[in-house]
Amino acid sequence: MHFFEESIKRFIEKKEMLKEEDHVAVAVSGGIDSMVLLSFLHKHQKQLGITVSAIHVDHMLRGAESYEDLRFVKSFCHERSIPFFGRQADAGREASENGIGIQFAARKVRYALFKEGMDALGANKLATAHHADDQAETVLMQLSRGGHTHSGIPAVRSFAFGMLIRPFLCVEKEEIAAYAAKYSIPYREDPSNQKITYTRNRYRHQLLSFLKNENPKAAMHIGYFAQDQQEDEFFLQEMAREKMEKMTIWKQESVSLQIEPFREVPLPLQRRAIHLILNYLYHGKTAFSFLHIHHILQLLQSAAPSGKLNLPSRLSVRKLNEQCVFAYEADDRPGNETDFLHVRDQLYRKSAGTFKLTEASECPHGAECFRLKSDTPLPLCIRMRRDGDRIQLKGMSGSKKLARLLIDEKIPLAYRDYIPVVTDANGTILWIPGIRKSVHEGDGPLLLIYEKE
């Protein structure tokens, strides 16, 4: 166990995770990983010169069982005089109201409460218990999905008004379990961790289990790979930034690139330069893959004097002689006209997507849905936002300006003119698909189905 503790301390020091007088709030679910992390940091807080507290979020997905997790963590902290912040958040309602997956909804409410908890406790660091097995699963998922990165989970990153740290990335699940057994650290089991309906669980119980049977140190080797990738990536991105300075013009919603000097840049830096441009224009909000970067590089290297690529969310890449411009389409902005939707109608709205008003009982996979009240005035109206638009959100007594809502939801400025607004026949806003639902959702027979373009 001495080796376990020393490995973590060396990792903390190497990654410069902690400094004296830090206040570290540990995200504690009640499971074995987070309980060991809390116990470890609490045990060594004087040596590390830090203050340790705990944050627990009950997602209310397992009823009384998940509430018992909250009570368990609270009691553990009380017995050891560890400052505690615990809250309940209805992840199921969040998913339903916003038409998003339950895992995404749970993460959204969890991290919002992590920020609130850090503020309430006065913490400047948030520690999570992600370990080497989690890192291996993440890298494998990134590789399988063809993402633009395959460097896994960062050990340190900015979060809220401080930093998020992951001290356990250097140790495996088996080591954590052995430490818990040796020091009799109590914990609770979440049965959902065994369900292979969740993507990560399938990677954990099927793919990573297979790899560890082939080589017990597979997770650690993948972790070393991820760490090397992160360090290499940081270095290469800095080099790419330096190379780009004299060949780009950066504006709020566009980037211009000089093609000829760009072609002289080594290919690894070209890839990262394109990644930097896309990340800047998308504000980190839209997923793009290595294929998008590959297609852009093909366009830039081609002998054709001109060409155009259309990327997600109406971002275009235009090549014209020696210039390449990354910008949002200005000519294809949606018009101000209103489309009407009756029962069993289907309509396609340019730059928005497809709407269907049906009597379906369930929302189709991959779509977003809004169930109407029985007395909702028809036809429904589909339009783009207008000045003065207001919506009454669920759980809200008054109404809120739509412009303010989009700011609060951190929707990039370039996206806001492409977001559809659904109203009833009287003009009352019912739904902003992909953003928020109003208090006017009900349990009537009609279901509005939306599939994003």
Side-chain angles (χ1 to χ4, degrees), residues 243-250 254-265 270 273-274 277 296-297 299-301 317-326:
K243 292 286 187 182
M244 296 287 282
E245 282 183 4
K246 296 181 179 179
M247 62 181 77
T248 51
I249 298 175
W250 301 71
S254 69
V255 176
S256 299
L257 171 68
Q258 296 178 36
I259 297 175
E260 198 56 40
F262 179 80
R263 285 174 172 166
E264 302 301 317
V265 174
Q270 289 186 14
I274 299 302
I277 290 173
I296 293 169
L297 291 175
L299 175 67
L300 293 172
Q301 294 295 343
V317 184
R318 293 178 182 269
K319 176 186 178 184
L320 184 60
N321 297 321
E322 294 306 314
Q323 289 287 324
C324 182
V325 179
F326 299 71

Side-chain angles (χ1 to χ4, degrees), residues 83-313:
F84 174 78
F85 176 92
R87 291 289 187 274
Q88 289 185 297
D90 193 339
R93 186 175 69 179
E94 179 73 19
S96 175
E97 289 181 356
N98 296 292
I100 57 179
I102 191 65
Q103 293 297 303
F104 180 78
R107 188 183 190 281
K108 182 179 178 182
V109 299
R110 180 167 65 251
Y111 276 85
L113 285 172
F114 284 166
K115 293 178 182 179
E116 183 181 330
M118 289 176 69
D119 185 51
L121 294 165
N124 65 319
K125 299 281 175 70
L126 176 74
T128 65
H130 294 92
H131 46 74
D133 291 41
D134 294 321
Q135 181 71 289
E137 293 157 13
T138 301
V139 172
L140 291 169
M141 285 191 288
Q142 289 173 340
L143 288 168
S144 299
R145 292 169 176 170
H148 58 79
T149 180
H150 45 257
S151 55
I153 312 168
V156 180
R157 71 171 176 86
S158 59
F159 180 74
F161 48 85
M163 302 295 293
L164 188 154
I165 62 174
R166 298 181 170 102
F168 276 8
L169 284 181
C170 62
V171 294
E172 295 179 273
K173 178 76 171 186
E174 291 85 352
E175 296 175 277
I176 295 171
Y179 187 88
K182 179 174 178 61
Y183 291 103
S184 301
I185 298 172
Y187 60 91
R188 287 175 61 84
E189 291 281 4
D190 180 350
S192 67
N193 289 334
Q194 303 302 317
K195 294 181 179 179
I196 61 171
T197 52
Y198 298 131
T199 302
R200 182 172 288 275
N201 286 351
R202 291 197 296 275
Y203 276 79
R204 176 176 303 155
H205 298 302
Q206 297 174 356
L207 182 54
L208 187 58
S209 176
F210 166 79
L211 292 175
K212 293 182 85 168
N213 284 333
E214 293 292 313
N215 182 349
K217 286 296 179 184
M220 291 303 299
H221 293 324
I222 296 173
Y224 296 144
F225 165 80
Q227 186 171 318
D228 289 346
Q229 287 291 306
Q230 289 170 13
E231 293 169 355
D232 291 352
E233 191 64 30
F234 178 80
F235 176 73
L236 290 169
Q237 283 193 10
E238 288 303 307
M239 289 188 66
R241 282 191 181 92
E242 291 178 9
K243 292 286 187 182
M244 296 287 282
E245 282 183 4
K246 296 181 179 179
M247 62 181 77
T248 51
I249 298 175
W250 301 71
K251 297 182 180 180
Q252 184 176 359
E253 297 295 336
S254 69
V255 176
S256 299
L257 171 68
Q258 296 178 36
I259 297 175
E260 198 56 40
F262 179 80
R263 285 174 172 166
E264 302 301 317
V265 174
L267 183 58
L269 299 186
Q270 289 186 14
R271 287 198 297 267
R272 284 156 180 86
I274 299 302
H275 176 274
L276 290 170
I277 290 173
L278 295 181
N279 206 46
Y280 168 79
L281 291 173
Y282 281 133
H283 303 271
K285 290 289 184 180
T286 296
F288 55 91
S289 72
F290 76 94
L291 281 176
H292 293 117
I293 295 175
H294 177 68
H295 292 157
I296 293 169
L297 291 175
Q298 283 185 323
L299 175 67
L300 293 172
Q301 294 295 343
S302 72
S306 64
K308 178 188 174 186
L309 291 173
N310 294 312
L311 272 61
S313 300

Side-chain angles (χ1 to χ4, degrees), residues 342-356:
H342 295 268
V343 181
R344 289 182 289 279
D345 275 356
Q346 175 175 320
L347 73 85
Y348 167 76
R349 190 172 176 99
K350 188 176 181 180
S351 304
T354 302
F355 293 86
K356 303 175 188 176

